[in-house]
Amino acid sequence: MSKPIVVGIDGSEASSEALRWAAEEARLRSAPLVAVYAWSFVPPQPIGDPGMLAVPAGDLPGQLDAERAVAEGALESAVSEALGAEPDVSVERRLVEGDAGDVLVGESESAELVVVGSHGRTGIRAALLGSVSRHVVNHAACPVVVVKAPG
């Protein structure tokens, strides 16, 4: 069995283009396709004065489960919107908690190819906002394809 083509998705138009490109490449290579959606749980911030901070009362495990459910829905929605209800390739959906760049670099260890979308930020905006695609290109253990958003 060949190594998978891994594609990072986040629900943006750029990642939808990357997913469509990766699906076609997987079909041409008869390779498995893995759609990866990275997410992070950000716990509530403490409130109050410094030295007297308190974490808001709440159901942290419930909040974590709720955020995971939202991420799962976003993953499903991104795949179905980009590829339709019945894609012509088999897509393994993988939800991973963590930083998107680090998650995709980790996935690259066992991949044939990693595909990411680019939002097209350049110059100071890219430097200030960071770039998942740049991180993956610089650190992946396999070839990387960066697909630009249309327009």
Side-chain angles (χ1 to χ4, degrees), residues 10-15 117-122 125 133 146-149:
D10 63 7
S12 68
E13 186 56 35
S15 74
S118 172
H119 297 284
R121 295 184 181 109
T122 59
R125 283 180 47 183
S133 59
V146 179
V147 178
K148 289 198 62 137

Side-chain angles (χ1 to χ4, degrees), residues 6-9 34-41 93-111 113-116 132 135-136 139-142:
V6 171
V7 57
I9 58 174
V34 178
V36 177
Y37 187 98
W39 70 287
S40 295
F41 175 66
R93 293 150 176 87
R94 194 172 292 167
L95 184 67
V96 182
E97 187 173 3
D99 173 78
D102 292 338
V103 165
L104 291 170
V105 168
E107 293 287 334
S108 76
E109 297 288 332
S110 61
L113 179 70
V114 173
V115 182
V116 292
V132 171
H135 180 77
V136 175
H139 300 286
C142 69

Side-chain angles (χ1 to χ4, degrees), residues 25-40:
E25 191 67 17
R27 188 185 65 71
L28 291 171
R29 295 183 186 207
S30 298
L33 178 63
V34 178
V36 177
Y37 187 98
W39 70 287
S40 295

Side-chain angles (χ1 to χ4, degrees), residues 72-93:
E72 287 172 351
L75 171 60
E76 279 302 318
S77 178
V79 172
S80 65
E81 287 176 17
L83 302 180
E86 295 185 27
D88 61 354
V89 296
S90 175
V91 182
E92 177 186 339
R93 293 150 176 87

